[in-house]
């Protein structure tokens, strides 16, 4: 389903090549559907536990979408981390998260 | 203790901070924001997901990031923040009584901006049958626990309501390791953005029951389950379609209500359709000197629009504080016509460019939006969950006949 | 390991009866422990009533009429019955007690109105009450349509006439009564254990061993004041020739914003099939007790059903047309018990097979007779062998509870300068401060509900949507327990059972 609400059906042959689109209203839909089939990416927004801070959680996000199949694994990975102040907005908390060429950055600050 | 301020802003959420900034930039010297939480930002702090700022900043930001832009600007402008402070009273004479750990203060303001936002509709307000165990939360309160306090409300969740808040919590709780057993929605379609339908429900294979409602809550000490049933076209449960879902938590996402307790204290009448004060295009309420912006006036969909409303309210408040009288000698009432639930502002002067926020009543396709005789706009799709913002230029407004008192806004199907 | 507790009298149940008895007993040199199954005092029917302490006025008669299904030939309650005597005594004792315990109350007027011919016919018995009973009820009078409108501007225009009792009852918040009685009892040496459901009683040589979920208690005497569960507990202590049956009625609380809809109790002279009693609580919220009396499905049937709420509002609208379901902030059902042996009476007697086990299974109305029942039970304990030596240092007074919202600005400022926590408003809807919440926990509140009934925090229109997380944090901090162990109502009702990331720990990375 595309962001406009059209339900797009994609027919794929055995090689994974796209044969046909149906149900989309515009060219954007075709592009979107193609992208979703080859790489359905999602920006992950979540929180990290903190240490030595009055705030119990620091909100973070991936600075690029990651494959949606990796979302739960990423959550488990992040659940084991703890972050200490000071942290500024945009600061990289984890570089190259799980080798996906994507960084995990702070979306709020953690003052001392 | 008493003190004088030029502009007092109640609430440091997106509307309040934006209002304070514009008030300061508009020339008001002493601008004070009063906020009950210990940090500014309002609900943006618990909205750790993205989708904010797409129109205002042309960036895709998370709630905290969006809030921080404005908070930093407010701090640069040396706006006073009174955090951890509750407004106890507001009078029509613009006296604001506040309480915090330092004591009680009365601020005598030259202008006030109401920016208290919304509260959530509760289980009792929607008359859900059943018991009152622990484990029933409104979606926003659950969001506060998960994203700010650091606790997960349960491990088997049912969510009533497929508005954006409900869907976002479905995803959030799934990501935090809970199992969302069902999302139950009374209408035959999703209440929020399609994007959320995809990324929050579809992505995680969360069972969603459209055209259903909850007919009973079970559990004496803690929630043990809910019974759901299909509804007919009147929204009434259909006998024989009941299904029980075991769960330990119920999240209620049944809509927001503007928080106007203080507005009532000041004697401001609340519009029964919007739930907030009626305002003119300067975001001024019926009481001169008291302005309002954001969700306290009507429930918005996008924080970007909340910011814009706050800005108008703040700029107008500064004008009032500096006694720059802007005489709006004309007052035209905007009337909600066919398929229009409400229009904000409710009155305009037609003497300056004005943006109207319009909410339709029902979803429809291929419609014509008409504003009096001065605007006709064909639209492909309209939905109640997506507010329309229509700018009326000075030229268009000047096209209005002299002596016109009412202007009807309608949204009928195109023939 | 749970310590073995010992006492002379064990009271089972922290409702209006149990706490009343505890307070009465605390006048004597008697070791007393009260065990309550839930996490807060007055958790059963004692908090579910409309909070009226009434005797034989219009409210008293209403109950009778309701029970007799609108039979115009009803006789008043037999004034010689034990129940009526206890009620009369209780009503006479309450004013002093309310003042001594610094409980908030108001005198309440009652207006019975007829909006149709049937109701009009039922008005007659109400009018004769004043003459029959006299005393404070002597001012009962007929009011015609104009007079009714003058008294109640929001009343329906269909009103024909009414009967007005200028003084008919004392209005309180029912939970205030149990809390105050227990606090004063504790001040005078009584102890209370919460979350302590009784699971069994064994008679031993010279004492009774009562098993509770907080451990066993060795006691000489037992008072069974277990309210809805008095029959279950009675079985643990011995034989009984009575059972309990539960009626059920649905109550609705309205937003304070519409508190002006009534300014005294307004009701219809109806039978059990469609009654409506509309009261305004002390705090300003309107409470509507309306519907048709049904039978409860068991002892836990205190939830609400949508169709009953709509019926409740429908009947209320017949009196006050402005009332709307849009203004509902809370709803629940009361399931008052009566005994099967003689539904018109209380059961207050020792168990036939265990003379030191006193069963106290009372019926409506339960608030009014409480002080008299307490004295009556203490006398029975004395007859059963309990030594009753009065304490010379019994303190009948409880200090007034501080309510920030009721103070002047100056008084507020002074309070905050003494303790800054009183400046931190936690519950926005009811204006309750951190200071008051901490104080409630010091006074014995252990749960969110306990804090709620002691302070009103969470009783407002947002129903703790805003203050909930803050109250949970304060309770955890003050009791030095993890937030994940804070409960709503006591055992098995934790608010937020898991810490962030706690559920993910159980998932392995693929």
């Amino acid at each position: 389903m595309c962001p406009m609400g059209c339900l797009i059906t994609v027919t794929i042959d055995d090689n994974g090549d796209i044969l046909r689109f149906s149900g989309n209203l515009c060219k954007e839909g075709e592009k979107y559907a193609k992208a979703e089939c080859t790489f359905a990416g999602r920006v992950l927004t979540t929180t990290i536990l903190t240490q030595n801070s009055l705030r119990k959680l620091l909100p973070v996000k991936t600075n690029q979408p990651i494959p949606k199949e990796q979302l739960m694994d990423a959550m488990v990975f992040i659940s084991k981390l703890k972050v200490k102040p000071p942290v500024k907005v945009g600061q990289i908390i984890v570089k190259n998260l799980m080798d996906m060429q994507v960084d995990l950055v702070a979306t709020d600050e953690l003052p001392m | 203790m008493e003190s004088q301020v030029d502009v007092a802003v109640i609430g440091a959420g997106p509307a309040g901070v934006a209002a304070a900034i514009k008030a300061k930039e508009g020339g008001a010297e002493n601008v004070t924001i009063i906020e009950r939480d210990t940090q500014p930002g309002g609900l943006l702090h618990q909205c750790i997901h993205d989708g904010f700022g797409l129109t205002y900043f042309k960036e895709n930001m998370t709630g905290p990031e969006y809030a921080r832009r404005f908070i930093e600007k407010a701090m640069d402008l040396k706006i006073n923040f009174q955090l951890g402070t509750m407004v106890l009273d507001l009078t029509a004479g613009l006296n604001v009584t506040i309480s915090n750990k330092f004591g009680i203060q009365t601020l005598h303001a030259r202008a006030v901006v109401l920016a208290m936002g919304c509260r959530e509709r509760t289980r009792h307000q929607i008359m859900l049958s059943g018991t009152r165990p622990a484990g029933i939360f409104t979606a926003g309160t659950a969001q506060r626990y998960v994203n700010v306090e650091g606790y997960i409300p349960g491990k088997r969740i049912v969510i009533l309501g497929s508005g954006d808040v409900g869907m976002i919590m479905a995803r959030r709780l799934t990501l935090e390791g809970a199992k969302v057993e069902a999302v139950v929605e009374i209408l035959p379609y999703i209440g929020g953005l399609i994007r959320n339908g995809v990324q929050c429900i579809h992505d995680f294979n969360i069972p969603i029951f459209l055209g259903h409602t909850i007919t009973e809550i079970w559990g004496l000490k803690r929630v043990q389950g809910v019974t759901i049933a299909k509804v007919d076209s009147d929204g009434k449960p259909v006998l024989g379609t009941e299904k029980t879902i075991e769960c330990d938590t119920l999240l209620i996402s049944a809509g927001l209500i503007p928080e106007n307790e203080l507005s009532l204290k000041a004697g401001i009448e609340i519009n029964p359709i919007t739930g907030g004060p009626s305002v003119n295009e300067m975001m001024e309420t019926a009481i001169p000197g008291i302005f309002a912006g954001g969700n306290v006036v009507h429930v918005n969909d996008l924080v970007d629009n909340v910011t814009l409303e706050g800005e108008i309210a703040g700029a107008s408040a500064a004008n009032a504080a500096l006694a720059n009288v802007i005489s709006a000698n004309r007052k035209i009432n905007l009337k909600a016509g066919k398929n229009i639930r409400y229009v904000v502002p409710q009155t305009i002067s037609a003497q300056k460019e004005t943006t109207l926020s319009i909410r339709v009543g029902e979803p429809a396709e291929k419609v014509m939006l008409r504003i009096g005789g001065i605007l006709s706009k064909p639209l492909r799709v309209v939905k109640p969950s997506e507010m329309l913002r229509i700018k009326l230029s000075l030229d268009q407004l000047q096209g209005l006949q002299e002596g016109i008192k009412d202007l009807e806004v309608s949204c009928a199907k195109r023939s | 390991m749970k310590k073995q507790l010992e006492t002379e009298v064990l009271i089972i149940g922290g409702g209006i009866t149990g706490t009343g008895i505890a307070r009465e007993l605390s006048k004597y040199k008697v070791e007393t422990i009260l065990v309550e199954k839930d996490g807060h005092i007055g958790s059963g029917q004692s908090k579910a009533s409309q909070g009226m302490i009434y005797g034989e006025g219009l409210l008293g008669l209403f109950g009778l009429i309701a029970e007799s299904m609108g039979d115009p030939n009803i006789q008043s309650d037999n004034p010689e019955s034990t129940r009526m005597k206890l009620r009369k005594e209780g009503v006479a004792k309450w004013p002093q007690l309310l003042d001594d315990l610094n409980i908030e109350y108001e005198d309440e007027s009652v207006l019975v109105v007829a909006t149709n011919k049937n109701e009009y016919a039922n008005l007659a018995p109400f009018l004769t009450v004043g003459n029959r009973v006299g005393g404070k009820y002597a001012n009962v009078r007929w009011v015609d349509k104009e007079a009714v409108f003058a008294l109640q501007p929001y009343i329906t225009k269909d009103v024909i006439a009414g009967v007005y009792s200028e003084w008919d009852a004392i209005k309180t918040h029912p939970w205030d009564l149990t809390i105050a009685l227990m606090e004063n009892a504790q001040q005078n040496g009584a102890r209370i254990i919460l979350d302590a459901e009784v699971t069994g009683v064994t008679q031993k040589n010279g004492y009774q061993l009562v098993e509770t979920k907080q451990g066993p208690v060795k006691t000489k005497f037992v008072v069974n004041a277990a309210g809805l569960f008095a029959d279950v507990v009675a079985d643990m202590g011995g034989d009984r020739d009575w059972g309990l049956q539960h009626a059920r009625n649905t109550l609705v609380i309205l937003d304070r914003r519409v508190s002006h809809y009534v300014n005294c109790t307004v009701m219809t002279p109806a039978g059990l099939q469609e009654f409506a009693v509309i009261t305004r609580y002390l705090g300003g919220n309107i409470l509507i007790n309306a519907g048709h009396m049904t039978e409860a499905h068991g002892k836990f049937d205190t939830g609400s059903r949508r169709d009953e709420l709509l019926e409740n509002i429908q009947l209320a609208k017949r009196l006050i047309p402005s009332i709307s379901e849009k203004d509902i902030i809370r709803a629940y059902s009361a399931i008052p018990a009566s005994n099967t042996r003689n539904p018109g009476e209380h059961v207050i007697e020792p168990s036939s097979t265990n003379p030191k086990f006193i069963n106290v299974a009372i019926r409506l109305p339960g608030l009014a007779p409480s002080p008299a029942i307490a004295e009556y039970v203490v006398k029975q304990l004395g007859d059963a062998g309990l030594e009753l030596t009065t304490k010379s240092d019994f303190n009948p007074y409880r200090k007034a509870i501080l309510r920030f919202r009721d103070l002047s600005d100056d008084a507020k400022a002074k309070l905050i300068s003494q303790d800054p926590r009183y400046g931190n408003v936690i519950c926005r809807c009811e204006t309750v401060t951190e200071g008051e919440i901490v104080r409630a926990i010091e006074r014995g509140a252990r749960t969110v509900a306990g804090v709620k009934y002691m302070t009103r925090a969470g009783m407002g229109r947002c129903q703790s949507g805003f203050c909930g997380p803050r109250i949970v944090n304060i309770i955890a901090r003050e009791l030095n327990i993890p937030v994940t162990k804070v409960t709503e109502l006591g055992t098995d009702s934790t608010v937020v059972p898991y810490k962030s990331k706690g559920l993910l720990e159980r998932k392995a990375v693929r």
Side-chain angles (χ1 to χ4, degrees):
Chain A
M1 191 185 262
C2 93
M4 272 298 285
C6 304
L7 199 49
I8 301 174
T9 311
V10 182
T11 315
I12 305 180
D13 72 11
D14 291 335
N15 292 336
D17 293 327
I18 295 167
L19 291 176
R20 182 164 54 104
F21 294 99
S22 61
N24 55 309
L25 275 186
C26 62
K27 283 243 162 52
E28 286 299 315
E30 196 175 300
K31 255 201 270 172
Y32 177 81
K34 211 172 191 169
E36 282 279 297
C37 287
T38 46
F39 170 77
R42 304 284 183 258
V43 168
L44 175 63
T45 55
T46 181
T47 55
I48 293 192
L49 295 173
T50 63
Q51 238 177 359
N52 303 345
S53 171
L54 284 174
R55 290 187 56 174
K56 292 171 236 177
L57 299 168
L58 173 73
V60 292
K61 71 178 183 192
T62 55
N63 61 0
Q64 297 291 334
I66 65 174
K68 69 179 183 185
E69 299 77 30
Q70 298 282 66
L71 287 172
M72 283 314 296
D73 285 345
M75 286 298 296
V76 176
F77 181 88
I78 295 167
S79 74
K80 302 187 168 81
L81 307 174
K82 280 212 165 84
V83 69
K84 280 198 253 212
V87 175
K88 278 192 145 54
V89 179
Q91 186 172 318
I92 297 177
I93 307 294
V94 179
K95 191 126 189 75
N96 193 9
L97 178 71
M98 287 163 61
D99 236 346
M100 294 189 284
Q101 268 72 55
V102 156
D103 298 334
L104 194 68
V105 301
T107 56
D108 205 350
E109 58 178 40
L110 207 62
M112 282 301 283
Chain B
M1 215 186 93
E2 323 245 325
S3 59
Q4 306 279 346
V5 300
D6 291 319
V7 176
V9 178
I10 306 180
V17 179
I21 290 170
K22 285 298 172 210
K24 193 82 190 222
E25 287 176 348
E29 268 190 55
N30 184 331
V31 177
T32 300
I33 308 182
I34 305 143
E35 166 56 48
R36 64 187 179 180
D37 207 340
T38 49
Q39 60 179 344
L43 291 170
L44 287 173
H45 276 293
Q46 58 187 66
C47 296
I48 62 162
H49 48 280
D50 62 1
F52 301 92
L54 292 167
T55 52
Y56 194 92
F57 291 116
K58 309 266 186 291
E59 289 176 49
N60 184 5
M61 311 163 81
T62 62
E65 286 169 305
Y66 186 92
R68 190 125 314 266
R69 290 279 175 93
F70 294 93
I71 294 167
E72 267 162 20
K73 181 135 191 228
M75 313 244 278
D76 285 343
L77 289 172
K78 307 246 186 300
I79 287 168
N80 300 321
F81 281 88
Q82 288 251 33
L83 302 173
T85 303
M86 187 73 78
V87 174
L88 296 180
D89 197 17
L90 172 66
T91 67
L94 310 186
N95 294 325
V96 188
T97 306
I98 61 177
S99 169
N100 56 31
K101 60 186 181 192
F102 301 113
I104 303 281
Q105 261 188 78
T106 302
L107 308 176
H108 301 288
R110 293 196 208 276
V112 171
V113 177
L114 305 172
M116 294 89 72
C118 277
R119 62 189 146 89
E120 297 179 274
R121 195 163 269 117
T122 67
R123 168 267 173 94
H124 289 290
Q125 285 175 290
I126 58 177
M127 295 189 283
L128 281 185
S129 301
T131 50
R132 295 176 303 284
I136 303 176
F137 303 88
T138 50
T141 305
Q143 192 181 53
R144 169 114 191 160
Y145 272 120
V146 175
N147 293 340
V148 176
E149 305 289 340
Y151 300 99
I152 312 293
K155 61 177 180 214
R156 299 183 69 186
I157 327 271
V158 168
I159 300 178
L160 178 64
S162 66
D164 288 320
V165 186
M167 289 201 283
I168 280 166
M169 282 313 289
R171 172 177 65 187
R172 186 80 187 101
L173 287 164
T174 307
L175 288 173
E176 285 284 336
K179 176 116 192 350
V180 177
E181 303 285 354
V183 170
V184 180
E185 166 60 54
I186 198 165
L187 294 174
Y189 47 83
I190 278 179
L193 301 172
I194 299 285
R195 178 168 173 261
N196 285 329
V198 174
Q199 299 194 359
C200 300
I201 310 290
H202 194 251
D203 274 4
F204 299 98
N205 292 318
I206 292 174
I208 176 160
F209 295 87
L210 297 177
H212 279 70
T213 190
I214 291 181
T215 57
E216 189 132 11
I217 300 172
W218 302 97
L220 289 173
K221 297 292 185 81
R222 176 87 200 189
V223 173
Q224 292 195 297
V226 296
T227 301
I228 69 171
K230 262 205 178 112
V231 294
D232 60 23
S233 49
D234 290 325
K236 298 221 166 24
V238 177
L239 278 178
T241 64
E242 292 91 357
K243 179 184 159 71
T244 299
I245 302 177
E246 271 181 42
C247 60
D248 63 9
T249 310
L250 172 62
L251 255 54
I252 311 235
S253 176
L256 302 173
I257 302 169
E259 181 54 89
N260 274 288
E261 184 147 346
L262 288 176
S263 319
L264 288 168
K265 279 206 165 133
I268 299 172
E269 247 186 72
I270 300 305
N271 183 310
I273 308 269
T274 57
S278 291
V279 292
N280 62 20
E281 78 264 25
M282 322 263 265
M283 304 307 286
E284 185 166 34
T285 67
I287 293 187
I290 300 188
F291 301 82
N295 281 351
V296 78
V297 176
H298 66 125
V299 178
N300 278 265
D301 310 316
L302 300 178
V303 75
D304 309 59
N305 294 335
V306 164
T307 298
L308 292 172
E309 280 185 16
E311 289 182 337
I312 297 175
S316 306
N319 281 331
L322 298 171
N324 294 346
V325 177
I326 291 154
S327 55
N329 46 16
R330 230 183 147 186
K331 196 172 149 183
I332 299 173
N333 295 316
L334 290 164
K335 294 248 173 277
K338 190 157 177 65
N339 199 20
I340 299 291
R341 183 149 167 75
Y342 68 75
V343 182
V344 169
Q346 284 85 352
T347 63
I348 59 174
S349 66
Q351 286 169 335
K352 58 197 286 267
E353 177 185 280
T354 303
T355 303
L356 302 181
S357 295
I358 300 168
R359 204 173 278 291
V360 299
E362 308 260 324
E365 287 181 10
K366 296 203 177 68
V367 294
M368 186 66 86
L369 180 72
R370 273 186 229 280
I371 299 178
I374 59 172
L375 183 138
S376 283
K377 188 173 175 151
L379 296 168
R380 192 157 70 91
V381 168
V382 290
K383 294 184 187 126
S385 60
E386 286 168 24
M387 205 164 65
L388 303 168
R389 280 181 67 83
I390 306 290
K391 196 188 288 203
L392 292 175
S393 69
L394 195 53
D395 277 340
Q396 283 172 306
L397 288 167
Q398 280 171 342
L400 281 172
Q401 276 177 310
E402 275 289 321
I404 261 197
K405 286 276 158 67
D406 296 321
L407 198 57
E408 189 184 80
V409 180
S410 67
C411 186
K413 265 191 133 63
R414 279 181 252 157
S415 36
Chain C
M1 197 192 79
K2 298 214 160 93
K3 230 183 348 169
Q4 166 87 46
L5 286 169
E6 239 184 274
T7 188
E8 276 185 271
V9 178
L10 182 72
I11 301 171
I12 302 174
I16 189 68
T17 306
T19 56
I21 295 166
R23 199 257 179 178
E24 185 62 26
L25 266 178
S26 72
K27 291 179 180 167
Y28 303 93
K29 289 180 184 167
V30 172
E31 289 224 18
T32 308
I33 294 181
L34 185 150
V35 288
E36 162 54 50
K37 74 170 179 7
D38 286 328
H40 63 278
I41 282 289
S43 61
Q45 291 305 289
S46 297
K47 70 178 193 312
S49 77
Q50 292 179 270
M52 300 290 197
I53 295 169
Y54 60 90
E56 300 161 86
L58 302 189
L59 274 175
L61 194 64
F62 173 84
L64 256 181
I65 286 184
E67 277 177 41
S68 66
M69 307 281 279
D71 178 353
N73 295 318
I74 40 105
Q75 301 296 312
S76 63
D77 274 317
N78 176 6
E80 293 310 306
S81 72
T82 311
R83 181 167 80 91
M84 284 308 290
K85 279 205 242 179
L86 287 170
R87 185 161 105 183
K88 198 162 176 181
E89 270 176 51
V91 173
K93 288 184 196 297
W94 267 115
Q96 182 71 51
L97 199 50
L98 291 169
D99 284 337
D100 286 351
L101 297 179
N102 268 297
I103 298 172
E104 276 179 74
Y105 69 92
E106 262 174 30
D107 288 333
E108 181 73 347
S109 310
V110 173
L111 176 66
V112 186
V113 293
T115 60
N116 60 45
K117 277 210 285 256
N118 283 339
E119 291 175 359
Y120 188 77
N122 278 342
L123 281 180
F126 288 97
L127 190 56
T128 59
V129 160
N131 297 330
R132 188 165 42 77
V133 179
K136 280 188 129 161
Y137 302 103
N139 285 326
V140 173
R141 63 179 192 274
W142 186 260
V143 280
D144 64 12
K145 195 170 175 159
E146 276 70 48
V148 171
F149 279 124
L151 284 169
Q152 296 290 343
Y154 285 85
I155 202 103
T156 174
K157 55 180 169 30
D158 294 337
V159 74
I160 302 173
V163 175
Y164 182 61
S165 170
E166 229 169 294
W167 189 97
D168 205 73
I170 302 172
K171 182 166 68 178
T172 66
H173 284 128
W175 51 84
D176 279 350
L177 304 178
T178 52
I179 289 169
L181 286 166
M182 194 65 227
E183 281 196 87
N184 191 232
Q186 285 174 285
Q187 264 176 267
N188 286 293
R191 280 180 290 166
I192 175 171
I193 310 175
L194 298 170
D195 282 319
E197 184 181 330
V198 170
T199 51
V201 179
T202 331
Q203 288 191 57
K204 305 270 198 191
N205 207 354
Y207 67 94
Q208 307 186 59
L209 190 65
V210 178
E211 294 291 335
T212 81
K213 289 210 167 143
Q214 296 291 331
V217 184
K218 209 169 141 180
T219 182
K220 292 218 183 75
F221 300 86
V222 174
V223 174
N224 167 17
L228 295 174
F229 297 88
D231 49 357
V232 174
V233 172
D235 285 339
M236 295 180 197
D239 288 346
R240 62 175 164 95
D241 64 350
W242 51 270
L244 287 183
Q245 58 206 0
H246 303 278
R248 183 169 179 280
N249 54 297
T250 296
L251 296 102
V252 154
I253 303 176
L254 300 185
D255 191 315
R256 244 213 310 259
R257 218 167 30 91
V258 297
S259 73
H260 51 280
Y261 284 176
V262 297
N263 50 43
C264 75
T265 297
V266 180
M267 58 191 195
T268 53
L272 282 171
Q273 288 320 302
E274 43 172 53
F275 56 88
V277 182
I278 304 174
T279 303
R280 187 169 70 193
Y281 268 137
L282 288 180
N285 299 89
I286 288 184
L287 175 67
I288 306 173
N289 182 1
H292 61 282
M293 211 55 138
T294 52
E295 252 183 67
H297 292 132
K299 295 183 186 295
F300 298 101
D301 196 10
T302 57
S304 53
R305 290 201 272 278
R306 190 189 175 83
D307 52 310
E308 289 169 346
L309 299 186
L310 291 171
E311 182 192 23
N312 176 301
I313 295 287
Q314 225 14 68
L315 289 169
K317 264 175 128 80
R318 280 214 238 144
L319 278 178
I320 312 279
S322 327
I323 284 177
S324 157
E325 65 266 17
K326 290 199 174 68
D327 295 316
I328 296 177
I329 64 167
R330 195 160 178 93
Y332 60 94
S333 295
I335 52 172
S338 57
N339 73 80
T340 49
R341 187 176 75 195
N342 181 355
E345 260 298 350
H346 305 303
V347 170
I348 306 177
E349 63 195 25
S351 168
S352 53
T353 47
N354 184 350
K356 292 189 162 61
F357 192 100
I358 317 278
N359 288 314
V360 191
I362 69 163
R363 50 147 288 158
L364 279 184
L367 300 181
S370 171
I373 288 177
E375 281 185 18
Y376 188 37
V377 171
V378 169
K379 180 175 175 306
Q380 292 199 4
L381 284 167
D383 291 342
L386 175 66
E387 198 170 311
L388 293 167
T389 324
T390 44
K391 273 184 191 143
S392 54
D393 58 349
F394 171 73
N395 179 6
Y397 305 111
R398 184 186 73 139
K399 279 224 295 258
I401 303 299
L402 196 72
R403 308 269 184 218
F404 180 83
R405 63 178 164 271
D406 293 335
L407 301 176
S408 67
D409 281 355
D410 283 339
K412 285 182 173 121
K414 183 152 181 248
L415 186 61
I416 297 169
S417 65
Q418 289 164 354
D419 184 347
R421 289 175 302 188
Y422 282 99
N424 186 12
V425 175
I426 299 290
C427 169
R428 204 256 117 35
C429 302
E430 300 294 315
T431 316
V432 183
T433 62
E434 183 185 348
E436 291 162 272
I437 293 169
V438 169
R439 191 72 198 101
I441 297 168
E442 285 169 5
R443 288 161 58 202
R446 291 283 169 273
T447 62
V448 173
V451 166
K452 178 170 84 162
Y453 289 108
M454 280 200 180
T455 64
R456 286 192 68 90
M459 283 192 185
R461 59 178 62 98
C462 91
Q463 290 290 293
S464 73
F466 171 68
C467 67
R470 289 157 177 81
I471 293 177
V472 167
N473 277 329
I474 294 173
I475 294 175
R477 182 188 77 202
E478 296 297 313
L479 296 181
N480 204 11
I481 59 175
V483 166
T484 50
K485 293 273 180 278
V486 175
T487 68
E488 191 79 42
L489 310 159
T491 320
D492 292 336
S493 67
T494 38
V495 183
V496 280
Y498 309 104
K499 282 176 73 159
S500 222
K501 318 304 169 195
L503 294 175
L504 288 169
E505 281 163 5
R506 306 162 193 204
K507 292 190 191 285
V509 181
R510 276 178 291 149

